[in-house]
Amino acid sequence: MTAEDEAKQLDSVTDRVQEKELDASRANQALGALSTTASDGAAAPAAIAVKKEDVDVIVAELEVTEDEAAAALRAAAGEGNGNIEGQQLVAAALRRLVVS
């Protein structure tokens, strides 16, 4: 095989790699657009306020960290579109932690 043939083969391989990279970047852009569209209607989980007492109950019952308890409360509140409060919210967060 001549040097010219080898150069052509190398170019064809690098062309395929570049095409795959472009496809991956397009896929990432599409996923980013989907995630922003999906989250437009719901409050961001970090924006949901949780009560310290609720976090303490979950930490005492399941022996998880405060961060895990707060995240579970936020997730449970987000699933209920902010309509659950008090004992129902704590119960939903406890269920979420036990099941996961």
Side-chain angles (χ1 to χ4, degrees), residues 8-50:
K8 285 181 184 178
Q9 282 185 333
L10 181 61
D11 284 340
S12 68
V13 170
T14 57
D15 289 344
R16 289 183 187 153
V17 170
Q18 289 172 351
E19 289 173 6
K20 287 182 182 179
E21 288 175 357
L22 290 175
D23 290 341
S25 67
R26 287 182 190 158
N28 286 335
Q29 288 175 346
L31 287 173
L34 285 175
S35 66
T36 57
T37 304
S39 65
D40 286 345
I48 298 172
V50 295

Side-chain angles (χ1 to χ4, degrees), residues 3-90:
E4 187 176 322
D5 291 336
E6 289 177 2
K8 285 181 184 178
Q9 282 185 333
L10 181 61
D11 284 340
S12 68
V13 170
T14 57
D15 289 344
R16 289 183 187 153
V17 170
Q18 289 172 351
E19 289 173 6
K20 287 182 182 179
E21 288 175 357
L22 290 175
D23 290 341
S25 67
R26 287 182 190 158
N28 286 335
Q29 288 175 346
L31 287 173
L34 285 175
S35 66
T36 57
T37 304
S39 65
D40 286 345
I48 298 172
V50 295
K51 295 180 182 176
K52 175 80 170 121
E53 298 84 26
D54 294 343
V55 172
D56 292 340
V57 167
I58 294 174
V59 168
E61 291 296 319
L62 296 181
E63 297 179 1
V64 296
T65 66
E66 288 185 0
D67 291 337
E68 291 172 324
L73 284 164
R74 287 187 183 99
E79 286 176 356
N81 295 325
N83 295 333
I84 15 180
E85 294 179 351
Q87 291 178 349
Q88 290 178 339
L89 179 60
V90 174

